Amino acid sequence: MYTSLTNRREFLKKMAIMSAMTAAATMFPGILFAEEQEKNLPKGGNLDWKKAPCRFCGVGCGVLVGIDNGKAVAVKGDPKSPVNKGLCCVKGYHSVMSIYGKDRLTKPLVKKNGKFVETSMKEALDLIASKMKETISDYGKDAVSIYGSGQWTIPDGYVASKLFKGCIGTNNVEANARLCMASAVTGFMTSFGIDEPMGCYEDIDHADVFVLWGNNMAEMHPVLFSRLLDQRLKRGVKIIDFATRTTRTSMAADKSIIFQPQTDLAVANAICYEIINNGWVNKAFVEKHCNFKKGLTNMGYGLEDKYNFNDKPEGITFEDFKTFLQDYTPEKVEKVSGVSAKDIKYMASYYGDPNKKVMSLWCMGMNQHTRGTWINNLVYNIHLLTGKISEPGNSPFSLTGQPSACGTVREVGTLTHKLPHGVVTNKEHREFAAKIWDVPAENIPAKPSYHTVEMFRALDRGDIRFMWIQVTNPMVTMPKLKRYRDACEKEGRFIVVSDIYPTPTTDIADVILPSAMWIEREGMYGNSERRTQYFEQMIQPSGEAMSDTWQIVEVAKRLGYEKQFYYNEATHIEEIYNEYRRHHEGNKHAMAPLEVLKAEPGAQWPYVNGKSTKWRFNAEYDPACSNGEQFHFYGNKDGKAVIWQRPYEPAPETPDDDYPFWLCTGRVVEHWHTGSMTRRIPVLHKAMPHAYVELNPEQAKEMQIRTGDQVKLTTRRGEIILPASVNERGVPERNQVFVPFFDENMLINDVTLDAFCPISKQPDYKKCAVKIEKV
Amino acid sequence: MPIKSYLAHPHEGKKSELVQALTSISSCEVIPAENNDLLIVITETTNNTEDNILKEKIEAIESLKLLAMVSGFDTPIK
Ligand code: SF4
C-alpha cells in the first residue's frame, strides 16, 4: 500500500514537471531544460486524461481531467489549448474537488409543511409538470418562467428556450448573465448591430498597450493576465490599469490610474476629444466605415416597477460630435473624474499613436453600470475613431465571467427578447425559429416580457407564479436582495431549483432537483472569444443527479411536447447541438460541427469552410465580409459601425451627508461567484474563508478601524456587519469601500441598489451610498 | 497531499539567485531552463496549509518577478 502511494506520488510529480515543460515550450519555443527532458518521463500511468473547458470562468481554459477508477482526481492545463497554452489558475486546478463536496445534492427534495422530504426523480418531475399546467390554466402562460445561467451548457439553454418560447409560448426566459454582461451585448448591438467581440485572445500576442477599464484581471481572469505579463517579459508591452480602487492588477501594471466612480464616461469622452483635437482620427476609416448617432439622455435608472425605456437614435454629423466633446476637455474632466489632465492625455496618446496597437479589456466594471451600454459604446468610439479595431492587436475586448455566458446566454439567446437567431420582435426571426422548433410561429410572442430584475419584481407582485431556477444562485446575487427573497417566499409562488449543492436559493425552493455537474454529463460551453468547447461525460453523476438538459426534456414531455422533444437519451446532446446549429447557418455565425469540437480544443464561430474566424469584420479573416473593402461591419444594414454621442451622467445614488461612502461589490480570485462550489474546496475556503469590507487605510486609521474589527455598513436598504480589511488585498480610495459578494453568510446584496442601465437592464453593483461605523 | 508545478520568472539578471533561494527550500525542486530566464518549480507538501505557507514563502523571494502555476495534483484519497 505504502509503496503504491509513493509510486503514485513519483508519477504525479513527473506529470507536474511534464506539464510545466510543455507550458514553457509553448511560451518559449525551443526552450531547453538541462536536468530533465520530456523523453525521460514515463508515459501513461493509469490516469486517463480527457479534455474539457474549465468549469469556472469565461476565459474558458482548456483543461485535462485525470480520471482514475471512475473518479476525477487531477486537473492540468491543456497545452494544446490556444486559450491557456497549458496554464491553469488556482480555481481551475482545484475544480474537480468541487464535484465531491460532502453535501452534494443527490436526491430530489420536495418541501412539505416547511420541511424538505426526499422523493423519487419521477415524482418530482411529475409534480413540476403538473404545477406548471395548473399555473398556466389559472393565471395564463406568462405566469410561468425560467431563470437560467451563463453556466448552463449550450444544450441546457437551448431546450429551455425551445420549451418556454416555442412550446409554452411565453418570453419569460432569463438568465443570470443579465447581471453580468447584458451591457456588453447592448453595447455591441448598438455599435455594430451584432453581438460578441470581433477579436480574440490572440490579440494579446500582438498588442503593444493594454488598457484595463475597471477590470481586475489579475484576480478575475488570471490566466489571461499571465499572458499579458508574459508579453511584457518578452516584448515590453505596457499595461495601464484604469480603475476605482488599487488591486493586485494595479500593483502589477505599469501604470495605475484611479477615477471616481461613474466618471469613466467623462474620461472616455475626453480621450475622444484628445484624439480629435490632436488630429489622430483615422479619417479614411471613419469616413468609409462609421456613422455618428445620438440617443436619448436622462433616461432614469429603472428604480420603479414596470419601468420602460426605448432609445430613439438620431443621426448626427462628425462636426456635431466634435462640438459635443467641447464639454470634455481633459482639464474639465479632471475636475469631475479626479484623473489628471496629464493622465487622460497619456492614455489618449497611446490610442492616438498610429504605431501602437492597443487592446482595451473590460468586464464587470463597465457592464455593471447604470450607463453600461453607453460606456461600452464610448470605448468602441475610441477604437473606431482611430481605426484600431478588428485586426491583430487592435481590439476592444469585453471579457465574460461565466463559462458559457457567451455560448449559451448570448448565442442561444436565453434572454426575454432573444431567439437563437435574432429577436422575438422580428417576425421573420420568429418564423425561422418556429420552423426549426416544429411549432406554429404564432406560439412565440412578439413582445419581450420581463428582464431579470423585473422578473423577480413580477414574482413579488404575483404576475409570475412559477419560476424554475437552474445553475444559479439569485438569493445571493440579486441586488436589493431582501425584496426578492421575500417575494419568493410569498404564498402562492412555486419555485423549482436545480443545483448541485444547498444554497440560499435552494432554501426558498418548493422542489429541489439534484443536477449532474460539468463532466458528470456531456455538453458544450462558449467562452469570451467565440470559442465553443465540447466535453464528454467522464464520470457518473452523484446519486440520482440528472443533467439540466434532461430535466427540462422530461418535463417538456410531461407537458405534451413529445414531438418537439423527440431526443433519445443516449444521443440527445448530439441531436440538440445539430438542431441548434441550424439556427446559425450562414457565414456570419456558423457553428463548427460536433466532430470538430470533439477533436479540437474548441472552434471559433463563424466557422466556415473548416476554419475558425479569429477577427471578424476584417475581410482578410472573416468570410462574411462582402462589401469589397478591407472592413465590413455587416451587423448593421449599411455595413457601418456607429460612433455614439453619449454624455456623462451621474449615478442614481451618490454619497451624501447621511451615507458618505461609495459601496462597490465584486469578486476574489479564490471564489467563483457565490462560492457555492469553491467554498466546498477546502484549500480555497481556507484561503478566503469569509467576506470582509475593504477600507482606505488612511481613513481606517482616522476611524480607528483595524483589520478584523467589526464594521457596520448601512444603506437605504438595510445594514450588515462585516470584518474590516485594511491594507490587505485591495486598497479603496477615501470615501469608498469594497465588499466581495461570495459569502452567503454575509449577504452584501441585502443592502445594494437595484438600479440598472435603461438599455441593457443590467444592475449596477458597483455604486451605491453607504454609511460606515465601527461596531 | 498537493504536488504543484509553477513557472518562475526571475528579475533581470537574478536567475542564479532565484535558483539558489528556491533550492534552499526543502519541499521545492527546481529545474532551470538552459537557454531562457525561466525556472520550473515543483512543490511537494503534505497538506494544503503547508502548501499555502510554502507558496507565500516562495512569493516573498526578492529575485522572483512572477510565479505562474501550471498544474497541480492531489494524491487521491482512497
Ligand atoms: S482562468 Fe478561468 S477558465 Fe482558466 S483555469 Fe482559471 S477559472 Fe478556469
Side-chain angles (χ1 to χ4, degrees):
Chain A
M1 198 62 194
Y2 178 75
T3 325
S4 113
L5 199 58
T6 312
N7 285 344
R8 169 64 55 82
R9 286 177 69 76
E10 275 312 302
F11 169 72
L12 290 178
K13 211 163 147 186
K14 296 226 150 104
M15 292 304 297
I17 296 172
M18 186 150 76
S19 307
M21 283 183 173
T22 322
T26 323
M27 286 157 73
F28 306 97
I31 192 164
L32 285 173
F33 291 92
E35 294 173 28
E36 296 201 40
Q37 285 298 326
E38 250 187 63
K39 59 177 166 35
N40 297 328
L41 292 165
K43 299 272 181 287
N46 54 5
L47 282 193
D48 190 9
W49 294 97
K50 292 170 187 269
K51 81 171 175 76
C54 172
R55 168 63 183 81
F56 294 124
C57 87
V59 171
C61 293
V63 296
L64 295 170
V65 183
I67 309 288
D68 183 28
N69 283 325
K71 201 174 165 189
V73 295
V75 175
K76 57 180 179 176
D78 182 356
K80 285 202 195 116
S81 168
V83 173
N84 48 315
K85 306 183 179 193
L87 295 170
C88 199
C89 87
V90 66
K91 288 190 292 287
Y93 154 61
H94 291 101
S95 54
V96 293
M97 292 169 84
S98 66
I99 302 172
Y100 302 111
K102 283 193 198 81
D103 55 345
R104 252 315 276 277
L105 292 166
T106 54
K107 284 199 177 297
L109 301 168
V110 174
K111 204 178 256 171
K112 284 189 182 143
N113 302 322
K115 284 223 158 70
F116 284 114
V117 290
E118 283 183 7
T119 182
S120 70
M121 194 52 110
K122 183 185 169 300
E123 267 175 42
L125 295 166
D126 286 347
L127 174 65
I128 295 167
S130 77
K131 266 288 165 192
M132 284 177 81
K133 278 188 198 156
E134 190 186 307
T135 311
I136 293 168
S137 101
D138 291 351
Y139 300 99
K141 52 195 182 162
D142 280 337
V144 296
S145 61
I146 188 157
Y147 182 60
S149 167
Q151 298 153 72
W152 254 345
T153 67
I154 289 172
D156 300 337
Y158 183 76
V159 292
S161 182
K162 183 174 178 179
L163 172 62
F164 280 76
K165 296 194 175 204
C167 297
I168 297 171
T170 174
N171 285 328
N172 286 348
V173 178
E174 273 283 296
N176 64 2
R178 174 76 72 183
L179 311 177
C180 70
M181 35 90 315
S183 301
V185 178
T186 46
F188 278 115
M189 295 307 289
T190 47
S191 292
F192 305 101
I194 190 168
D195 190 20
E196 296 204 26
M198 50 288 294
C200 59
Y201 298 155
E202 206 182 303
D203 283 315
I204 296 172
D205 305 339
H206 301 278
D208 303 302
V209 180
F210 299 88
V211 184
L212 316 182
W213 290 76
N215 184 196
N216 181 7
M217 271 183 99
E219 290 204 69
M220 304 323 144
H221 301 92
V223 164
L224 288 184
F225 196 63
S226 302
R227 285 184 61 176
L228 260 57
L229 297 180
D230 176 41
Q231 289 302 313
R232 188 165 64 185
L233 285 170
K234 281 188 192 147
R235 302 191 287 125
V237 302
K238 282 260 168 310
I239 303 171
I240 302 170
D241 181 52
F242 179 63
T244 57
R245 136 185 111 103
T246 304
T247 63
R248 283 184 176 176
T249 306
S250 332
M251 294 163 200
D254 296 279
K255 188 162 175 72
S256 150
I257 301 175
I258 300 284
F259 64 94
Q260 283 298 307
Q262 190 86 356
T263 65
D264 42 359
L265 295 159
V267 175
N269 274 326
I271 292 174
C272 290
Y273 172 90
E274 274 294 291
I275 288 168
I276 294 176
N277 201 38
N278 288 299
W280 294 331
V281 174
N282 182 336
K283 285 198 186 112
F285 180 91
V286 171
E287 270 163 29
K288 220 180 252 176
H289 303 296
C290 302
N291 281 320
F292 289 83
K293 284 188 186 172
K294 68 174 184 182
L296 297 177
T297 54
N298 294 313
M299 307 177 284
Y301 301 98
L303 285 162
E304 56 284 1
D305 275 36
K306 299 190 181 172
Y307 166 87
N308 194 19
F309 173 80
N310 286 310
D311 205 4
K312 289 203 178 76
E314 214 182 289
I316 56 165
T317 63
F318 175 70
E319 285 306 315
D320 295 334
F321 183 63
K322 208 172 144 183
T323 311
F324 157 80
L325 289 176
Q326 295 306 313
D327 287 342
Y328 296 94
T329 62
E331 290 72 22
K332 284 182 193 166
V333 168
E334 172 175 329
K335 292 199 182 88
V336 342
S337 66
V339 182
S340 69
K342 194 170 151 234
D343 280 347
I344 294 174
K345 290 178 184 180
Y346 168 81
M347 286 207 282
S349 69
Y350 279 124
Y351 282 110
D353 183 344
N355 299 316
K356 290 266 183 278
K357 293 187 169 174
V358 188
M359 192 170 186
S360 301
L361 291 140
W362 66 94
C363 197
M364 293 308 113
M366 268 177 43
N367 294 342
Q368 293 180 336
H369 194 309
T370 48
R371 294 293 178 263
T373 309
W374 288 8
I375 183 65
N376 272 264
N377 291 147
L378 292 179
V379 174
Y380 294 131
N381 286 358
I382 298 171
H383 283 266
L384 288 168
L385 282 172
T386 51
K388 292 191 177 184
I389 195 162
S390 291
E391 55 185 18
N394 277 327
S395 183
F397 203 100
S398 129
L399 294 163
T400 44
Q402 301 187 79
S404 204
C406 282
T408 306
V409 181
R410 291 160 77 161
E411 293 159 27
V412 176
T414 56
L415 294 170
T416 182
H417 65 289
K418 277 281 290 162
L419 289 167
H421 174 81
V423 286
V424 296
T425 44
N426 182 309
K427 187 161 176 273
E428 275 170 37
H429 295 170
R430 292 197 302 276
E431 285 168 354
F432 181 70
K435 198 165 163 225
I436 298 173
W437 285 344
D438 194 12
V439 296
E442 310 78 71
N443 270 24
I444 307 170
K447 250 185 89 180
S449 54
Y450 307 109
H451 56 86
T452 296
V453 171
E454 197 53 37
M455 192 184 247
F456 280 87
R457 288 177 181 170
L459 188 74
D460 186 20
R461 293 192 300 266
D463 298 337
I464 286 179
R465 296 278 168 163
F466 172 99
M467 189 184 280
W468 189 347
I469 299 168
Q470 286 196 323
V471 224
T472 184
N473 196 0
M475 292 304 111
V476 176
T477 55
M478 286 299 292
K480 197 179 171 183
L481 179 55
K482 190 174 178 310
R483 173 177 178 190
Y484 304 115
R485 185 169 53 239
D486 292 349
C488 294
E489 286 172 336
K490 273 189 177 168
E491 231 2 75
R493 312 292 188 274
F494 197 87
I495 315 280
V496 178
V497 178
S498 306
D499 213 327
I500 58 168
Y501 286 111
T503 65
T505 306
T506 59
D507 286 350
I508 52 96
D510 294 283
V511 176
I512 302 173
L513 293 180
S515 292
M517 181 195 165
W518 187 35
I519 52 170
E520 291 178 336
R521 38 101 29 114
E522 186 185 7
M524 308 93 187
Y525 290 147
N527 78 352
S528 297
E529 57 159 3
R530 292 175 282 108
R531 179 179 300 277
T532 316
Q533 301 189 74
Y534 168 85
F535 52 97
E536 64 182 282
Q537 181 183 345
M538 301 179 197
I539 50 175
Q540 286 305 310
S542 306
E544 287 174 46
M546 183 186 270
S547 78
D548 295 313
T549 307
W550 199 250
Q551 292 173 12
I552 294 175
V553 172
E554 284 287 341
V555 169
K557 286 186 190 162
R558 284 164 168 79
L559 292 171
Y561 304 114
E562 290 93 346
K563 187 165 81 137
Q564 289 81 6
F565 289 82
Y566 56 86
Y567 317 115
N568 180 309
E569 194 170 357
T571 50
H572 69 286
I573 295 296
E574 182 173 356
E575 288 164 345
I576 291 167
Y577 183 71
N578 287 338
E579 182 184 313
Y580 166 60
R581 279 182 72 216
R582 292 172 56 202
H583 292 263
H584 288 314
E585 272 166 11
N587 283 359
K588 290 182 188 170
H589 204 312
M591 308 289 294
L594 192 59
E595 312 83 77
V596 172
L597 300 185
K598 283 184 176 174
E600 307 281 329
Q604 285 166 290
W605 64 265
Y607 185 87
V608 181
N609 299 328
K611 258 182 78 185
S612 288
T613 302
K614 288 185 183 171
W615 290 278
R616 287 196 300 166
F617 313 139
N618 181 332
E620 205 178 311
Y621 306 97
D622 183 350
C625 293
S626 60
N627 62 351
E629 304 282 351
Q630 192 192 342
F631 297 98
H632 184 194
F633 295 100
Y634 49 74
N636 287 325
K637 279 206 183 91
D638 59 6
K640 292 185 174 190
V642 181
I643 293 177
W644 283 93
Q645 175 179 311
R646 305 289 203 192
Y648 159 71
E649 285 183 5
E653 196 180 80
T654 50
D656 55 17
D657 289 347
D658 297 332
Y659 302 95
F661 286 73
W662 285 104
L663 166 63
C664 174
T665 68
R667 297 171 283 174
V668 290
V669 66
E670 293 84 356
H671 289 298
W672 200 71
H673 292 192
T674 64
S676 60
M677 291 179 280
T678 44
R679 297 189 87 210
R680 284 166 171 96
I681 299 173
V683 56
L684 297 180
H685 180 53
K686 269 189 215 141
M688 181 53 77
H690 55 74
Y692 52 82
V693 52
E694 260 173 21
L695 293 130
N696 174 273
E698 210 179 78
Q699 221 167 6
K701 206 168 170 191
E702 287 160 19
M703 296 170 80
Q704 299 185 337
I705 297 173
R706 291 208 195 124
T707 295
D709 287 350
Q710 298 288 296
V711 174
K712 184 158 88 176
L713 278 67
T714 313
T715 73
R716 292 181 177 86
R717 273 72 57 197
E719 57 183 54
I720 181 174
I721 293 178
L722 291 150
S725 161
V726 184
N727 254 335
E728 290 193 307
R729 186 163 299 191
V731 182
E733 293 296 290
R734 283 187 77 85
N735 293 331
Q736 296 186 29
V737 294
F738 172 83
V739 178
F741 69 84
F742 69 84
D743 189 347
E744 64 181 47
N745 299 314
M746 297 181 194
L747 290 170
I748 188 63
N749 276 317
D750 270 342
V751 304
T752 52
L753 183 67
D754 60 350
F756 51 78
C757 166
I759 303 174
S760 70
K761 325 289 192 251
Q762 176 169 350
D764 186 334
Y765 292 88
K766 304 290 184 193
K767 298 166 215 98
C768 70
V770 65
K771 182 166 75 181
I772 306 294
E773 293 159 288
K774 187 175 174 185
V775 191
Chain B
M1 300 193 123
I3 296 171
K4 292 184 181 167
S5 62
Y6 300 89
L7 299 182
H9 302 264
H11 280 293
E12 220 176 315
K14 302 272 172 165
K15 187 176 168 189
S16 48
E17 267 178 46
L18 182 61
V19 174
Q20 222 170 19
L22 285 164
T23 14
S24 70
I25 304 175
S26 64
S27 34
C28 273
E29 195 174 309
V30 187
I31 309 168
E34 268 196 345
N35 55 353
N36 229 302
D37 274 352
L38 185 80
L39 325 175
I40 287 177
V41 183
I42 311 294
T43 63
E44 192 180 358
T45 47
T46 47
N47 58 44
N48 292 324
T49 322
E50 209 180 283
D51 188 59
N52 280 341
I53 298 170
L54 175 64
K55 184 150 187 261
E56 272 172 28
K57 204 162 154 188
I58 298 176
E59 278 175 339
I61 299 176
E62 271 186 19
S63 48
L64 175 79
K65 184 165 180 185
L66 169 74
L67 187 73
M69 178 157 75
V70 180
S71 72
F73 304 89
D74 250 333
T75 41
I77 305 144
K78 294 258 170 170

